[in-house]
């Protein structure tokens, strides 16, 4: 979105292709509402980008729905910027990590943030652990821990270094 906005300000005709059904990428599905309000901050930024003339299409997965070659050869785009988002999670290769109830932070946060699993009226499955452990000390780990806490879980963070060395923002 930042790239699209900056290019539009310079006079380029820009289109954004969003893989999911909601515009905003990681801002919407990865960061919890309590840390980044979607209906105010994110929606406002998206509207600002649209007001610059940027066209946004959702439910388009580049590489599946359409290829980069198609964008250039058939759609007439002259340049392509790939903003791939958070990417895939990195698992540790330890016994038990594929057990039922073990989720990557990305999946847990997406189910909660984008698919509204916290809302009983939605049909999105999410594990509501009574006792939850989050492995890691970065911002994503903290978001997962705080979300689990808000879902009612007794939440513990396991990190390989000291609390002073946590890479997450204070």
């Amino acid at each position: 979105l930042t790239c699209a906005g900056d290019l539009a300000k310079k006079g380029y005709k820009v289109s954004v292709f969003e893989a999911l059904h909601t515009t905003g990428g990681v801002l919407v599905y990865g960061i919890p509402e309590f840390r980044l309000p979607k209906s105010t901050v994110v929606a406002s930024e998206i509207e600002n980008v649209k007001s610059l003339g940027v066209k946004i299409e959702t439910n388009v997965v580049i590489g599946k729905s359409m290829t980069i070659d198609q964008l250039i050869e058939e759609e007439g785009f002259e340049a392509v910027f790939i903003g791939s988002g958070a990417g895939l999670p990195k698992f540790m290769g330890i016994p038990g990590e594929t057990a039922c109830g073990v989720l990557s932070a990305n999946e847990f946060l997406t189910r909660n943030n984008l698919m509204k699993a916290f809302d009983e009226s939605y049909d999105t499955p999410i594990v509501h652990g009574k006792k939850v452990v989050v492995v890691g000390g970065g911002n994503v780990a903290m978001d997962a821990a705080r979300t689990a806490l808000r879902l009612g879980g007794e939440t513990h963070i396991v990190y390989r270094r000291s609390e002073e060395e946590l890479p997450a923002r204070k």
Side-chain angles (χ1 to χ4, degrees):
L1 290 171
T2 300
C3 180
D6 287 350
L7 288 170
K9 287 176 190 172
K10 291 181 184 263
Y12 292 97
K13 185 177 171 184
V14 181
S15 292
V16 171
F17 299 98
E18 170 65 55
L20 300 175
H21 64 281
T22 302
T23 304
V26 174
L27 300 175
V28 173
Y29 69 78
I31 302 173
E33 182 73 23
F34 57 80
R35 193 155 74 87
L36 179 62
K38 312 303 179 250
S39 62
T40 53
V41 177
V42 177
S44 172
E45 289 303 315
I46 291 167
E47 287 308 312
N48 286 340
V49 169
K50 285 181 180 178
S51 75
L52 297 169
V54 173
K55 181 181 169 191
I56 299 177
E57 284 187 55
T58 57
N59 298 311
V60 179
V61 180
I62 301 301
K64 296 213 185 267
S65 306
M66 143 183 351
T67 67
I68 292 174
D69 287 343
Q70 286 174 312
L71 287 172
I72 294 168
E73 295 164 11
E74 297 172 22
E75 301 295 324
F77 288 97
E78 297 175 44
V80 177
F81 170 81
I82 302 292
S84 60
L88 296 173
K90 224 178 193 175
F91 289 94
M92 298 179 290
I94 59 174
E97 72 181 12
T98 59
C100 189
V102 177
L103 300 172
S104 70
N106 290 358
E107 181 178 354
F108 179 68
L109 292 170
T110 298
R111 284 176 181 270
N112 192 68
N113 299 332
L114 186 64
M115 300 167 71
K116 312 246 186 278
F118 60 86
D119 187 334
E120 296 293 328
S121 68
Y122 278 74
D123 194 24
T124 304
I126 193 167
V127 176
H128 288 271
K130 291 180 183 169
K131 194 168 185 179
V132 178
V133 64
V134 175
V135 180
N139 289 321
V140 174
M142 295 302 122
D143 287 346
R146 292 173 68 195
T147 298
L149 193 61
R150 282 170 169 77
L151 289 171
E154 176 190 321
T155 305
H156 301 266
I157 297 167
V158 175
Y159 182 63
R160 62 186 170 157
R161 295 190 182 111
S162 70
E163 190 172 339
E164 293 75 36
E165 296 173 282
L166 287 172
R169 289 186 204 97
K170 291 200 184 283

